Amino acid sequence: RGNAFPTGLRPHRRRGQHPWCCDRPSAFPLSFRLTAAMDLKSMIHDAKSREMGLYERFQEYDTDGDGSIGQDELVSLLVNLRIMEDSGDDADFISRQFQLTDQNGDGEIDFEEFKAFYNACIDYRKLGRGSRGSPGANADGVPRIKGKDVKALTPEVERARAVLRRERLTQKAAAAALLAEENKERRARITMARSAGRDSKTLTTDQENARLEIRERKAQEKYEMELRMAAENLEMRARIEAHQSRGRDTKELTPEIEEARTNVRRKSLMDKEAMERRLREENLVQKRRIAAAMARGRDAKTLTPDEEAARASIRRKSIADKAAMEHRLAEENVEMRRRIELAQSRGRDEKNLTPEQERGRAFVAQRSRDEKAQAAARLVEENELIRLRIAEAMAKGRDAKALDANINAARLEVAERRRREKAEAEKTLRKENAALAARLAGTGMFPDTRF
């Protein structure tokens, strides 16, 4: 048995070790192990898919949803699979098929029995209508199971699958041809770029033209800006020279600005004169009132009759309000003294409360005690939970935090949101800085300091 492996692939094992156990990983090629694992995984996936498909079919025929198929429900299965058209007596045929399918004899067909019968019916259809002795049935006319992966496809389905297969192959060939053409063009561009120079870029003719157009437009814009700035500088120098020739503080103003400034100055003077006249009139009236008051006495006030009547009305109303307030305070003091005397006669700390107030206070006190007890119990539970989490964290490590899955997910979400906000803020700031730099460079906001 040791010679069962080819030369170079014999496992290297220790004494007393099983022949299939070896220390050398190269005893079996890696490709062989990967292929075996992939095949096994594919087989498991296919088996699960077929199992789910059969279970869905089982649920379709299980009309009452009790998890099993009865004899009346078996009829729809036989009709859909076109099995009953070969039997002369449908009732006897259905009864015989049900008895043969119900292997445990419980009067119902479960899922495992349904799988065997359904697969046998599929093979029965593929091999021919099996009466007794037909290739697709046994001596009792029961269809035999041909194989695990055999599919019962109609000619229409087969033709449709063939058409779809041809379309896919055509699309795949077209995609491969397009990819080959693109790769060929790419290689030609790379070769041309390498022949042109080390740093040449593989740009198409359209890209080269677009880059050239952008370069020309920028050069034109720069030239126009330089001309505009030169004209503005020339105008500024002319204005400065004119100012210097007229005087240090003389401003070069247009006739319109001069006229507007004259109108503003004239209006300001007129407003100032009007205000002075109004102040003089008010001062004159005030002096007259003061002189009349002094003639009547030292503290006499110069009030009009209407003002005197209004002050008298306010004084009377204030006296009446004060008397009413004093009367109300006196009544409240009497009532308070009576209640205090009554409370002292009943006890030092006893309060004069109605029975409804007493019951209300008792209810509130009981509710407060219940809430306090519930809060204390909840606090004990939370403390116990925190102690358990701390103990678990300490068991995991010194800096480990006792955070559950929800807290960790929330922390990750907050960190991700902060990173996005920071990135957006930095992007916005870069855009604003670029726009500001462009505005400062293009609008001449940095004039020549020599002027």
Side-chain angles (χ1 to χ4, degrees), residues 11-15 17-27:
H12 179 74
R13 62 186 179 88
R14 295 188 296 270
R15 183 183 299 275
Q17 193 176 13
H18 192 273
W20 287 96
C21 298
C22 59
D23 297 333
R24 191 169 56 188
S26 60

Side-chain angles (χ1 to χ4, degrees), residues 14 46 62 77 98 148 157 221 257 262 288 399 404:
R14 295 188 296 270
D46 294 341
D62 183 14
L77 174 62
F98 185 80
K148 185 176 182 181
V157 177
E221 292 175 355
I257 297 176
T262 303
R288 290 175 182 175
D399 296 331
D404 55 11

Side-chain angles (χ1 to χ4, degrees), residues 48-304:
K48 289 183 179 180
S49 300
R50 287 194 297 271
E51 188 81 8
M52 291 299 297
L54 285 176
Y55 187 72
E56 292 177 357
R57 285 297 185 92
F58 178 75
Q59 289 181 335
E60 291 178 4
Y61 295 113
D62 183 14
T63 57
D64 53 2
D66 59 352
S68 60
I69 296 177
Q71 185 170 347
D72 53 346
E73 296 171 336
L74 182 64
V75 176
S76 60
L77 174 62
L78 295 174
V79 172
N80 291 336
L81 295 177
R82 300 196 299 273
I83 302 298
M84 292 181 60
E85 60 187 6
D86 295 335
S87 176
D89 190 355
D90 292 343
D92 294 341
F93 180 75
I94 293 170
S95 177
R96 185 171 65 256
Q97 294 297 328
F98 185 80
Q99 292 176 1
L100 293 174
T101 306
D102 185 14
Q103 298 178 2
N104 55 9
D106 59 352
E108 299 290 341
I109 299 176
D110 56 10
F111 178 60
E112 297 297 331
E113 296 170 345
F114 172 80
K115 285 196 298 183
F117 180 75
Y118 186 83
N119 291 329
C121 289
I122 295 300
D123 295 338
Y124 167 73
R125 286 184 54 194
K126 290 182 70 65
L127 296 177
R129 304 295 179 180
S131 59
R132 296 185 180 183
S134 64
N138 56 16
D140 295 328
V142 179
R144 292 193 298 267
I145 298 176
K146 179 183 177 183
K148 185 176 182 181
D149 295 331
V150 176
K151 296 182 179 179
L153 301 178
T154 61
E156 292 79 4
V157 177
E158 291 288 349
R159 287 193 295 271
R161 288 167 63 91
V163 171
L164 182 60
R165 192 180 303 110
R166 286 194 297 271
E167 290 179 355
R168 289 180 179 175
L169 291 175
T170 303
Q171 294 175 359
K172 186 175 181 181
L178 180 61
L179 184 60
E181 186 68 24
E182 293 177 354
N183 291 335
K184 181 179 179 181
E185 182 181 359
R186 184 70 176 177
R187 284 193 296 270
R189 288 168 57 191
I190 292 174
T191 303
M192 182 177 63
R194 289 176 177 175
S195 63
R198 179 180 180 184
D199 296 330
S200 300
K201 298 180 179 179
T202 57
L203 302 177
T204 62
T205 307
D206 297 336
Q207 291 175 341
E208 291 287 350
N209 295 333
R211 289 168 66 92
L212 181 61
E213 182 180 357
I214 292 172
R215 192 180 304 111
E216 293 177 353
R217 186 176 67 250
K218 288 184 177 180
Q220 182 66 24
E221 292 175 355
K222 184 177 180 181
Y223 176 71
E224 293 177 356
M225 184 179 295
E226 290 176 353
L227 291 178
R228 185 171 60 253
M229 291 180 64
E232 292 176 356
N233 293 334
L234 182 61
E235 182 181 359
M236 181 65 68
R237 292 191 187 95
R239 291 178 60 184
I240 292 173
E241 291 175 358
H243 293 167
Q244 292 177 355
S245 62
R246 296 172 60 182
R248 179 178 180 183
D249 297 330
T250 305
K251 296 182 179 179
E252 183 182 2
L253 303 177
T254 62
E256 293 80 5
I257 297 176
E258 291 286 350
E259 185 179 358
R261 288 168 67 89
T262 303
N263 293 333
V264 171
R265 192 181 303 108
R266 186 181 301 112
K267 185 176 182 300
S268 178
L269 292 174
M270 293 174 63
D271 293 341
K272 187 176 181 180
E273 291 176 358
M275 183 178 293
E276 290 177 353
R277 286 195 302 269
R278 186 170 61 254
L279 288 175
R280 284 195 298 268
E281 292 175 358
E282 291 178 357
N283 291 335
L284 182 60
V285 173
Q286 189 70 25
K287 289 177 183 178
R288 290 175 182 175
R289 291 177 61 184
I290 292 173
M294 292 176 66
R296 294 171 60 184
R298 180 178 181 184
D299 296 331
K301 296 181 179 179
T302 57
L303 300 177
T304 61

